[in-house]
Amino acid sequence: MTTSAAVPTGPEGAISDGTVTDRLVEANERYAAAFTDPGMDARPVLRVAVVACMDARLDLHDALGLALGDCHTIRNAGGVVTDDVIRSLTISQRKLGTRSVVLIHHTGCGLESLTEDFRTELELEVGQRPAWAVESFRDVAQDVRQSMQRVRTNPFLLHTDDVRGFVFDVQTGLLREILPG
């Protein structure tokens, strides 16, 4: 198991000396000690919103050559365009000036191994069925196409002419563009 150099590990990769959250708070204290307000506005400089999977292997800023303030980043399991993603994109476009949307899924996504049965499993375990869909998929390229279509046809979004989708290869770091279907 590989972990950040900022988080010391003990035997078998376990986090040592406190909780992970304790380590994050300590790292923030070091960060804040050298922090200088960059004086930025909440509007992204490049006027782009990036929707991507929450997978820890995706370092979006490095992979896309982005700096602080360049984009809005919206992440969830699978990088799927859900109602909440539409909510964030609507605010991003209508109130904060974004004009482009980049969608990024990736190879080896955990959602490829799940099914909607996961909701039933949760219901059996906790006694309540989740209101949300798992949004699992078998074909990552097709799911990117579906996500592009959801963005392009949503009535709340003003700017749907520059919507592009990609699959990030977790082994090579390369993006493969997916053309709309």
Side-chain angles (χ1 to χ4, degrees), residues 23-104:
R23 297 308 240 165
L24 297 176
V25 170
E26 289 171 17
N28 175 256
E29 289 168 359
R30 289 188 299 276
Y31 171 80
F35 183 78
T36 304
D37 180 0
M40 296 177 167
D41 187 273
R43 298 172 183 270
V45 174
L46 298 179
R47 297 169 56 152
V48 62
V50 178
V51 178
C53 185
M54 66 186 190
D55 192 294
R57 297 172 290 180
L58 277 65
D59 184 345
L60 292 174
H61 278 78
D62 273 355
L64 301 174
L66 296 168
L68 181 66
D70 281 348
C71 71
H72 283 159
T73 306
I74 304 162
R75 296 181 79 160
N76 67 19
V80 177
V81 176
T82 62
D83 286 346
D84 193 58
V85 168
I86 293 296
R87 178 186 70 87
S88 294
L89 287 173
T90 301
I91 293 166
S92 178
Q93 287 188 357
R94 290 181 176 261
K95 297 298 181 186
L96 297 167
T98 59
R99 299 292 179 262
S100 300
V101 178
V102 174
L103 305 168
I104 301 177

Side-chain angles (χ1 to χ4, degrees), residues 43-178:
R43 298 172 183 270
V45 174
L46 298 179
R47 297 169 56 152
V48 62
V50 178
V51 178
C53 185
M54 66 186 190
D55 192 294
R57 297 172 290 180
L58 277 65
D59 184 345
L60 292 174
H61 278 78
D62 273 355
L64 301 174
L66 296 168
L68 181 66
D70 281 348
C71 71
H72 283 159
T73 306
I74 304 162
R75 296 181 79 160
N76 67 19
V80 177
V81 176
T82 62
D83 286 346
D84 193 58
V85 168
I86 293 296
R87 178 186 70 87
S88 294
L89 287 173
T90 301
I91 293 166
S92 178
Q93 287 188 357
R94 290 181 176 261
K95 297 298 181 186
L96 297 167
T98 59
R99 299 292 179 262
S100 300
V101 178
V102 174
L103 305 168
I104 301 177
H105 286 33
H106 65 92
T107 58
C109 185
L111 281 187
E112 292 176 284
S113 64
L114 288 178
T115 67
E116 291 298 320
D117 290 340
F118 180 61
R119 293 173 69 221
T120 303
E121 293 167 15
L122 288 172
E123 181 180 21
L124 292 172
E125 180 182 330
V126 302
Q128 181 178 346
R129 188 173 188 81
W132 40 263
V134 174
E135 295 277 356
S136 60
F137 51 86
R138 295 284 175 253
D139 181 338
V140 68
Q142 181 56 34
D143 202 64
V144 171
R145 285 186 201 94
Q146 176 177 288
S147 292
M148 285 190 285
Q149 185 67 14
R150 285 179 177 174
V151 171
R152 288 190 171 128
T153 60
N154 192 280
F156 301 114
L157 299 176
L158 297 172
H159 307 285
T160 58
D161 54 325
D162 188 15
V163 178
R164 294 173 64 186
F166 300 86
V167 174
F168 177 86
D169 188 311
V170 298
Q171 293 181 325
T172 67
L174 291 172
L175 291 175
R176 175 174 53 97
E177 186 158 11
I178 304 300

